Short mmCIF file of all heavy atoms in Angstrom, two decimals:
data_model
loop_
_atom_site.label_atom_id
_atom_site.label_comp_id
_atom_site.label_asym_id
_atom_site.label_seq_id
_atom_site.Cartn_x
_atom_site.Cartn_y
_atom_site.Cartn_z
N MET N 1064 99.84 97.73 88.20
CA MET N 1064 100.09 96.29 88.36
C MET N 1064 99.34 95.77 89.56
O MET N 1064 99.24 96.47 90.56
CB MET N 1064 101.59 96.03 88.50
CG MET N 1064 102.37 96.48 87.30
SD MET N 1064 103.12 95.09 86.44
CE MET N 1064 104.62 94.92 87.39
N ALA N 1065 98.88 94.58 89.45
CA ALA N 1065 98.10 94.01 90.57
C ALA N 1065 98.32 92.47 90.51
O ALA N 1065 98.68 91.97 89.47
CB ALA N 1065 96.68 94.34 90.52
N TYR N 1066 98.01 91.86 91.60
CA TYR N 1066 98.15 90.43 91.64
C TYR N 1066 96.82 89.80 91.70
O TYR N 1066 95.79 90.40 92.05
CB TYR N 1066 99.00 90.05 92.90
CG TYR N 1066 100.41 90.36 92.73
CD1 TYR N 1066 100.88 91.68 93.04
CD2 TYR N 1066 101.33 89.37 92.32
CE1 TYR N 1066 102.18 91.97 92.87
CE2 TYR N 1066 102.66 89.70 92.13
CZ TYR N 1066 103.10 91.00 92.44
OH TYR N 1066 104.40 91.29 92.28
N ARG N 1067 96.77 88.54 91.28
CA ARG N 1067 95.51 87.75 91.41
C ARG N 1067 95.85 86.34 91.88
O ARG N 1067 97.05 85.97 91.83
CB ARG N 1067 94.74 87.66 90.11
CG ARG N 1067 95.41 86.99 88.99
CD ARG N 1067 94.49 86.58 87.88
NE ARG N 1067 93.56 85.51 88.35
CZ ARG N 1067 92.93 84.64 87.52
NH1 ARG N 1067 93.12 84.78 86.25
NH2 ARG N 1067 92.19 83.72 88.01
N ILE N 1068 94.87 85.59 92.29
CA ILE N 1068 95.04 84.20 92.78
C ILE N 1068 94.54 83.25 91.70
O ILE N 1068 93.41 83.44 91.23
CB ILE N 1068 94.39 84.02 94.12
CG1 ILE N 1068 95.09 84.89 95.16
CG2 ILE N 1068 94.42 82.52 94.51
CD1 ILE N 1068 94.36 84.95 96.47
N ILE N 1069 95.34 82.30 91.34
CA ILE N 1069 94.96 81.31 90.29
C ILE N 1069 94.40 80.05 90.93
O ILE N 1069 94.46 79.83 92.10
CB ILE N 1069 96.15 81.02 89.37
CG1 ILE N 1069 97.36 80.52 90.14
CG2 ILE N 1069 96.53 82.28 88.58
CD1 ILE N 1069 98.48 79.98 89.17
N GLU N 1070 94.00 79.11 90.00
CA GLU N 1070 93.23 77.98 90.34
C GLU N 1070 93.98 77.02 91.27
O GLU N 1070 93.30 76.21 92.02
CB GLU N 1070 92.82 77.24 89.12
CG GLU N 1070 92.05 78.01 88.11
CD GLU N 1070 92.99 78.88 87.30
OE1 GLU N 1070 94.04 78.50 86.85
OE2 GLU N 1070 92.55 80.09 87.10
N THR N 1071 95.26 77.09 91.35
CA THR N 1071 96.03 76.16 92.19
C THR N 1071 95.90 76.51 93.67
O THR N 1071 96.32 75.75 94.53
CB THR N 1071 97.50 76.15 91.81
OG1 THR N 1071 97.90 77.51 91.67
CG2 THR N 1071 97.72 75.41 90.50
N CYS N 1072 95.26 77.65 94.03
CA CYS N 1072 95.00 78.01 95.44
C CYS N 1072 94.25 76.85 96.13
O CYS N 1072 93.33 76.31 95.62
CB CYS N 1072 94.21 79.25 95.47
SG CYS N 1072 93.50 79.69 97.06
N THR N 1073 94.77 76.50 97.32
CA THR N 1073 94.14 75.49 98.11
C THR N 1073 93.25 76.08 99.17
O THR N 1073 92.79 75.30 100.08
CB THR N 1073 95.25 74.57 98.76
OG1 THR N 1073 96.02 75.43 99.56
CG2 THR N 1073 96.01 73.88 97.72
N ALA N 1074 93.07 77.40 99.18
CA ALA N 1074 92.24 78.03 100.19
C ALA N 1074 92.75 77.80 101.62
O ALA N 1074 91.96 77.63 102.55
CB ALA N 1074 90.74 77.69 100.05
N CYS N 1075 94.06 77.78 101.75
CA CYS N 1075 94.62 77.50 103.07
C CYS N 1075 94.54 78.68 104.01
O CYS N 1075 94.57 78.55 105.24
CB CYS N 1075 96.16 77.14 102.90
SG CYS N 1075 97.17 78.51 102.36
N GLY N 1076 94.41 79.92 103.48
CA GLY N 1076 94.18 81.10 104.26
C GLY N 1076 95.49 81.76 104.78
O GLY N 1076 95.44 82.74 105.47
N LEU N 1077 96.67 81.21 104.46
CA LEU N 1077 97.90 81.78 104.94
C LEU N 1077 98.13 83.23 104.48
O LEU N 1077 98.71 84.07 105.20
CB LEU N 1077 99.07 80.91 104.50
CG LEU N 1077 99.25 79.59 105.27
CD1 LEU N 1077 100.43 78.82 104.68
CD2 LEU N 1077 99.53 79.88 106.76
N CYS N 1078 97.67 83.51 103.27
CA CYS N 1078 97.95 84.85 102.70
C CYS N 1078 97.04 85.92 103.37
O CYS N 1078 97.40 87.12 103.36
CB CYS N 1078 97.70 84.88 101.24
SG CYS N 1078 96.01 84.29 100.74
N LEU N 1079 95.90 85.54 103.86
CA LEU N 1079 94.90 86.50 104.34
C LEU N 1079 95.43 87.55 105.30
O LEU N 1079 95.32 88.75 105.05
CB LEU N 1079 93.74 85.71 104.92
CG LEU N 1079 92.38 86.44 105.04
CD1 LEU N 1079 91.89 86.92 103.71
CD2 LEU N 1079 91.37 85.52 105.71
N PRO N 1080 96.10 87.11 106.41
CA PRO N 1080 96.60 88.10 107.37
C PRO N 1080 97.82 88.87 106.88
O PRO N 1080 98.23 89.81 107.56
CB PRO N 1080 96.90 87.28 108.62
CG PRO N 1080 97.19 85.91 108.08
CD PRO N 1080 96.32 85.70 106.82
N GLU N 1081 98.44 88.48 105.77
CA GLU N 1081 99.61 89.15 105.28
C GLU N 1081 99.36 90.45 104.57
O GLU N 1081 100.23 91.32 104.47
CB GLU N 1081 100.43 88.19 104.39
CG GLU N 1081 100.86 86.93 105.08
CD GLU N 1081 101.74 87.17 106.26
OE1 GLU N 1081 102.56 88.09 106.28
OE2 GLU N 1081 101.55 86.42 107.31
N CYS N 1082 98.25 90.57 103.97
CA CYS N 1082 97.96 91.81 103.15
C CYS N 1082 97.68 92.98 104.04
O CYS N 1082 96.67 93.01 104.79
CB CYS N 1082 96.83 91.55 102.24
SG CYS N 1082 96.43 92.95 101.21
N PRO N 1083 98.46 94.04 103.97
CA PRO N 1083 98.31 95.19 104.82
C PRO N 1083 97.09 96.06 104.53
O PRO N 1083 96.68 96.84 105.35
CB PRO N 1083 99.57 96.01 104.59
CG PRO N 1083 100.08 95.55 103.24
CD PRO N 1083 99.64 94.17 103.08
N ILE N 1084 96.49 95.81 103.33
CA ILE N 1084 95.26 96.65 103.05
C ILE N 1084 94.01 95.76 102.91
O ILE N 1084 93.04 96.22 102.34
CB ILE N 1084 95.51 97.45 101.72
CG1 ILE N 1084 95.90 96.52 100.57
CG2 ILE N 1084 96.66 98.48 101.96
CD1 ILE N 1084 95.87 97.24 99.22
N ASP N 1085 94.15 94.49 103.35
CA ASP N 1085 93.00 93.62 103.34
C ASP N 1085 92.37 93.44 101.93
O ASP N 1085 91.17 93.47 101.80
CB ASP N 1085 91.91 94.09 104.32
CG ASP N 1085 92.37 94.01 105.78
OD1 ASP N 1085 93.13 93.11 106.03
OD2 ASP N 1085 91.94 94.86 106.55
N ALA N 1086 93.24 93.29 101.00
CA ALA N 1086 92.76 93.09 99.60
C ALA N 1086 92.42 91.65 99.27
O ALA N 1086 91.89 91.37 98.21
CB ALA N 1086 93.83 93.62 98.59
N ILE N 1087 92.71 90.75 100.18
CA ILE N 1087 92.49 89.33 99.97
C ILE N 1087 91.24 88.93 100.78
O ILE N 1087 91.10 89.33 101.92
CB ILE N 1087 93.66 88.49 100.45
CG1 ILE N 1087 94.91 88.92 99.71
CG2 ILE N 1087 93.41 86.97 100.12
CD1 ILE N 1087 96.20 88.22 100.18
N SER N 1088 90.40 88.14 100.12
CA SER N 1088 89.25 87.60 100.85
C SER N 1088 88.95 86.20 100.45
O SER N 1088 89.29 85.79 99.35
CB SER N 1088 88.02 88.52 100.62
OG SER N 1088 87.73 88.53 99.21
N PRO N 1089 88.37 85.41 101.40
CA PRO N 1089 88.03 84.05 101.08
C PRO N 1089 86.99 83.98 99.97
O PRO N 1089 85.98 84.71 100.06
CB PRO N 1089 87.42 83.49 102.38
CG PRO N 1089 87.91 84.42 103.42
CD PRO N 1089 87.96 85.77 102.71
N GLY N 1090 87.20 83.15 98.95
CA GLY N 1090 86.21 83.02 97.89
C GLY N 1090 85.74 81.58 97.81
O GLY N 1090 86.12 80.76 98.60
N ASP N 1091 84.97 81.29 96.82
CA ASP N 1091 84.54 79.93 96.62
C ASP N 1091 84.70 79.50 95.17
O ASP N 1091 84.10 80.04 94.25
CB ASP N 1091 82.99 79.88 96.94
CG ASP N 1091 82.41 78.49 96.79
OD1 ASP N 1091 83.24 77.51 96.73
OD2 ASP N 1091 81.18 78.35 96.73
N PRO N 1092 85.63 78.61 94.88
CA PRO N 1092 86.36 77.79 95.88
C PRO N 1092 87.73 78.33 96.28
O PRO N 1092 88.34 77.85 97.20
CB PRO N 1092 86.55 76.42 95.16
CG PRO N 1092 86.72 76.89 93.71
CD PRO N 1092 85.82 78.10 93.52
N ILE N 1093 88.26 79.33 95.55
CA ILE N 1093 89.61 79.83 95.89
C ILE N 1093 89.49 81.25 96.40
O ILE N 1093 88.46 81.91 96.23
CB ILE N 1093 90.50 79.80 94.63
CG1 ILE N 1093 90.00 80.69 93.54
CG2 ILE N 1093 90.68 78.35 94.11
CD1 ILE N 1093 90.95 80.84 92.36
N PHE N 1094 90.61 81.66 97.03
CA PHE N 1094 90.64 83.04 97.56
C PHE N 1094 90.75 84.03 96.43
O PHE N 1094 91.18 83.71 95.29
CB PHE N 1094 91.85 83.14 98.50
CG PHE N 1094 91.55 82.65 99.90
CD1 PHE N 1094 90.93 81.49 100.08
CD2 PHE N 1094 92.02 83.42 100.97
CE1 PHE N 1094 90.66 81.03 101.39
CE2 PHE N 1094 91.73 82.93 102.29
CZ PHE N 1094 91.06 81.72 102.50
N VAL N 1095 90.36 85.27 96.69
CA VAL N 1095 90.41 86.26 95.61
C VAL N 1095 91.14 87.53 96.13
O VAL N 1095 91.11 87.87 97.32
CB VAL N 1095 88.99 86.61 95.15
CG1 VAL N 1095 88.35 85.47 94.40
CG2 VAL N 1095 88.13 87.06 96.29
N ILE N 1096 91.77 88.24 95.20
CA ILE N 1096 92.36 89.51 95.44
C ILE N 1096 91.55 90.61 94.74
O ILE N 1096 91.29 90.46 93.54
CB ILE N 1096 93.86 89.53 94.97
CG1 ILE N 1096 94.70 88.58 95.80
CG2 ILE N 1096 94.39 90.96 95.04
CD1 ILE N 1096 96.10 88.43 95.34
N ASP N 1097 91.15 91.64 95.45
CA ASP N 1097 90.28 92.65 94.79
C ASP N 1097 91.07 93.76 94.13
O ASP N 1097 92.33 93.78 94.15
CB ASP N 1097 89.27 93.16 95.80
CG ASP N 1097 89.90 93.97 96.88
OD1 ASP N 1097 90.95 94.62 96.70
OD2 ASP N 1097 89.32 93.95 98.01
N ASP N 1098 90.42 94.74 93.56
CA ASP N 1098 91.03 95.75 92.82
C ASP N 1098 91.89 96.74 93.62
O ASP N 1098 92.66 97.50 93.04
CB ASP N 1098 89.95 96.56 92.08
CG ASP N 1098 89.25 95.76 91.01
OD1 ASP N 1098 89.81 94.71 90.65
OD2 ASP N 1098 88.18 96.15 90.59
N THR N 1099 91.85 96.69 94.91
CA THR N 1099 92.66 97.57 95.72
C THR N 1099 94.07 97.10 95.87
O THR N 1099 94.91 97.80 96.39
CB THR N 1099 92.04 97.77 97.11
OG1 THR N 1099 91.96 96.50 97.81
CG2 THR N 1099 90.61 98.34 97.06
N CYS N 1100 94.38 95.90 95.45
CA CYS N 1100 95.73 95.37 95.52
C CYS N 1100 96.75 96.32 94.82
O CYS N 1100 96.51 96.75 93.67
CB CYS N 1100 95.83 94.00 94.77
SG CYS N 1100 97.48 93.37 94.64
N CYS N 1101 97.77 96.65 95.55
CA CYS N 1101 98.72 97.64 94.96
C CYS N 1101 100.17 97.22 95.29
O CYS N 1101 101.01 98.02 95.75
CB CYS N 1101 98.37 99.07 95.44
SG CYS N 1101 98.23 99.21 97.22
N ASP N 1102 100.48 95.97 95.12
CA ASP N 1102 101.86 95.48 95.03
C ASP N 1102 102.71 95.55 96.31
O ASP N 1102 103.90 95.65 96.26
CB ASP N 1102 102.63 96.27 93.95
CG ASP N 1102 102.05 96.07 92.58
OD1 ASP N 1102 101.14 95.20 92.47
OD2 ASP N 1102 102.45 96.74 91.64
N PHE N 1103 102.09 95.44 97.48
CA PHE N 1103 102.97 95.35 98.65
C PHE N 1103 103.73 94.04 98.61
O PHE N 1103 104.77 93.92 99.18
CB PHE N 1103 102.13 95.44 99.98
CG PHE N 1103 101.61 96.85 100.16
CD1 PHE N 1103 100.20 97.09 100.14
CD2 PHE N 1103 102.46 97.88 100.46
CE1 PHE N 1103 99.76 98.34 100.35
CE2 PHE N 1103 101.96 99.16 100.67
CZ PHE N 1103 100.62 99.33 100.66
N GLU N 1104 103.06 93.01 98.01
CA GLU N 1104 103.68 91.74 97.83
C GLU N 1104 103.99 90.95 99.09
O GLU N 1104 104.74 89.96 99.11
CB GLU N 1104 105.01 91.83 96.99
CG GLU N 1104 104.72 92.48 95.64
CD GLU N 1104 105.96 92.54 94.77
OE1 GLU N 1104 107.02 92.17 95.24
OE2 GLU N 1104 105.83 92.93 93.62
N ASP N 1105 103.42 91.37 100.20
CA ASP N 1105 103.61 90.62 101.48
C ASP N 1105 103.01 89.24 101.39
O ASP N 1105 103.48 88.35 102.08
CB ASP N 1105 103.00 91.34 102.61
CG ASP N 1105 103.60 92.74 102.84
OD1 ASP N 1105 104.10 93.29 101.86
OD2 ASP N 1105 103.49 93.22 103.98
N CYS N 1106 102.01 89.06 100.56
CA CYS N 1106 101.36 87.82 100.44
C CYS N 1106 102.14 86.72 99.67
O CYS N 1106 101.94 85.51 99.92
CB CYS N 1106 100.03 87.99 99.81
SG CYS N 1106 100.04 88.65 98.10
N LEU N 1107 102.94 87.15 98.76
CA LEU N 1107 103.56 86.21 97.86
C LEU N 1107 104.38 85.13 98.55
O LEU N 1107 104.30 83.95 98.25
CB LEU N 1107 104.49 86.99 96.86
CG LEU N 1107 103.83 88.01 95.98
CD1 LEU N 1107 104.84 88.56 94.99
CD2 LEU N 1107 102.64 87.43 95.23
N ALA N 1108 105.18 85.52 99.53
CA ALA N 1108 106.18 84.61 100.14
C ALA N 1108 105.45 83.52 100.94
O ALA N 1108 106.03 82.46 101.16
CB ALA N 1108 107.12 85.40 101.01
N VAL N 1109 104.27 83.76 101.41
CA VAL N 1109 103.63 82.80 102.32
C VAL N 1109 102.86 81.71 101.58
O VAL N 1109 102.54 80.69 102.16
CB VAL N 1109 102.73 83.41 103.34
CG1 VAL N 1109 103.56 84.41 104.25
CG2 VAL N 1109 101.53 84.09 102.74
N CYS N 1110 102.57 81.94 100.31
CA CYS N 1110 101.71 80.92 99.60
C CYS N 1110 102.50 79.68 99.30
O CYS N 1110 103.49 79.70 98.61
CB CYS N 1110 101.20 81.55 98.29
SG CYS N 1110 100.09 80.40 97.47
N PRO N 1111 102.05 78.56 99.87
CA PRO N 1111 102.78 77.30 99.69
C PRO N 1111 102.75 76.73 98.31
O PRO N 1111 103.53 75.86 97.89
CB PRO N 1111 102.16 76.34 100.72
CG PRO N 1111 100.77 76.93 100.94
CD PRO N 1111 100.91 78.44 100.70
N VAL N 1112 101.77 77.20 97.47
CA VAL N 1112 101.64 76.61 96.12
C VAL N 1112 101.87 77.67 95.01
O VAL N 1112 101.52 77.44 93.88
CB VAL N 1112 100.25 75.98 95.98
CG1 VAL N 1112 100.16 74.71 96.87
CG2 VAL N 1112 99.14 76.91 96.23
N ASN N 1113 102.42 78.85 95.41
CA ASN N 1113 102.69 79.88 94.46
C ASN N 1113 101.46 80.23 93.60
O ASN N 1113 101.59 80.37 92.36
CB ASN N 1113 103.85 79.52 93.55
CG ASN N 1113 105.17 79.40 94.36
OD1 ASN N 1113 105.40 80.23 95.25
ND2 ASN N 1113 105.90 78.37 94.06
N ALA N 1114 100.31 80.36 94.25
CA ALA N 1114 99.09 80.62 93.46
C ALA N 1114 98.84 82.13 93.34
O ALA N 1114 97.84 82.48 92.70
CB ALA N 1114 97.92 79.97 94.20
N ILE N 1115 99.69 82.98 93.84
CA ILE N 1115 99.53 84.42 93.66
C ILE N 1115 100.49 84.92 92.60
O ILE N 1115 101.65 84.84 92.77
CB ILE N 1115 99.76 85.15 95.06
CG1 ILE N 1115 98.89 84.52 96.12
CG2 ILE N 1115 99.52 86.65 94.89
CD1 ILE N 1115 99.22 85.04 97.53
N VAL N 1116 99.89 85.36 91.56
CA VAL N 1116 100.69 85.81 90.37
C VAL N 1116 100.33 87.15 89.92
O VAL N 1116 99.24 87.68 90.16
CB VAL N 1116 100.53 84.79 89.23
CG1 VAL N 1116 100.93 83.38 89.65
CG2 VAL N 1116 99.13 84.82 88.72
N LEU N 1117 101.28 87.78 89.15
CA LEU N 1117 100.98 89.09 88.59
C LEU N 1117 99.81 88.92 87.58
O LEU N 1117 99.66 87.95 86.86
CB LEU N 1117 102.19 89.65 87.79
CG LEU N 1117 103.10 90.57 88.57
CD1 LEU N 1117 104.26 90.91 87.65
CD2 LEU N 1117 102.33 91.77 89.07
N LEU N 1118 98.93 89.90 87.52
CA LEU N 1118 97.76 89.82 86.71
C LEU N 1118 98.10 89.57 85.24
O LEU N 1118 97.51 88.79 84.54
CB LEU N 1118 97.01 91.15 86.82
CG LEU N 1118 95.55 91.17 86.37
CD1 LEU N 1118 94.70 90.14 87.07
CD2 LEU N 1118 94.94 92.56 86.67
N ASP N 1119 99.19 90.22 84.74
CA ASP N 1119 99.57 90.01 83.39
C ASP N 1119 99.96 88.58 83.10
O ASP N 1119 99.73 88.10 81.98
CB ASP N 1119 100.77 90.92 83.08
CG ASP N 1119 100.40 92.33 82.98
OD1 ASP N 1119 99.18 92.63 82.88
OD2 ASP N 1119 101.24 93.25 83.02
N GLU N 1120 100.65 87.93 84.02
CA GLU N 1120 101.04 86.56 83.85
C GLU N 1120 99.89 85.60 83.85
O GLU N 1120 99.98 84.50 83.43
CB GLU N 1120 102.15 86.21 84.93
CG GLU N 1120 103.39 87.05 84.82
CD GLU N 1120 104.32 86.82 85.99
OE1 GLU N 1120 103.89 86.08 86.96
OE2 GLU N 1120 105.43 87.38 85.96
N ALA N 1121 98.84 85.93 84.49
CA ALA N 1121 97.67 85.04 84.65
C ALA N 1121 96.83 85.02 83.49
O ALA N 1121 95.91 84.14 83.40
CB ALA N 1121 96.90 85.49 85.95
N LYS N 1122 97.00 85.96 82.53
CA LYS N 1122 96.11 85.94 81.36
C LYS N 1122 96.36 84.77 80.44
O LYS N 1122 97.43 84.29 80.37
CB LYS N 1122 96.31 87.29 80.61
CG LYS N 1122 95.61 88.42 81.30
CD LYS N 1122 95.90 89.70 80.53
CE LYS N 1122 95.27 90.86 81.35
NZ LYS N 1122 95.78 92.20 80.88
S1 SF4 W 75 100.27 92.03 96.54
FE1 SF4 W 75 100.15 93.33 98.40
S2 SF4 W 75 98.27 94.52 98.26
FE2 SF4 W 75 98.15 92.80 96.74
S3 SF4 W 75 97.04 91.20 97.82
FE3 SF4 W 75 99.28 90.80 98.13
S4 SF4 W 75 99.87 91.85 100.06
FE4 SF4 W 75 97.81 92.60 99.36
S1 SF4 W 76 98.30 81.29 100.62
FE1 SF4 W 76 98.08 80.65 98.45
S2 SF4 W 76 96.98 78.71 98.60
FE2 SF4 W 76 96.71 79.71 100.58
S3 SF4 W 76 94.77 80.81 100.37
FE3 SF4 W 76 96.43 82.29 99.78
S4 SF4 W 76 96.57 82.10 97.54
FE4 SF4 W 76 95.47 80.30 98.30
#
């Protein structure tokens, strides 16, 4: 299981420092989560627009 960031991301950057393995990076136009994401879920709580979702739910 892994998470990804959907289109509602506002690129606020709040999630960036929360990921313990640096799986999040600034993208254009929205932030992206790479394949190393492994469910620490530290990033989920800080996203003001709930743009971080389980990969399965994003399909
Ligand atoms: S779920 Fe965990 S590993 Fe994946 S991007 Fe968020 S904090 Fe990083
Ligand atoms: S906290 Fe949410 S809105 Fe902000 S950059 Fe991360 S995914 Fe995008």
Side-chain angles (χ1 to χ4, degrees):
M1064 297 245 276
Y1066 288 83
R1067 63 161 293 202
I1068 293 170
I1069 58 173
E1070 304 77 44
T1071 48
C1072 169
T1073 59
C1075 68
L1077 284 177
C1078 56
L1079 200 59
E1081 300 301 321
C1082 181
I1084 57 169
D1085 294 328
I1087 304 173
S1088 58
D1091 182 16
I1093 63 173
F1094 277 45
V1095 291
I1096 293 176
D1097 68 31
D1098 292 342
T1099 60
C1100 172
C1101 52
D1102 297 352
F1103 289 113
E1104 301 183 356
D1105 297 26
C1106 60
L1107 300 184
V1109 300
C1110 182
V1112 293
N1113 297 317
I1115 304 172
V1116 301
L1117 266 178
L1118 198 54
D1119 288 345
E1120 296 172 355
K1122 281 176 185 167

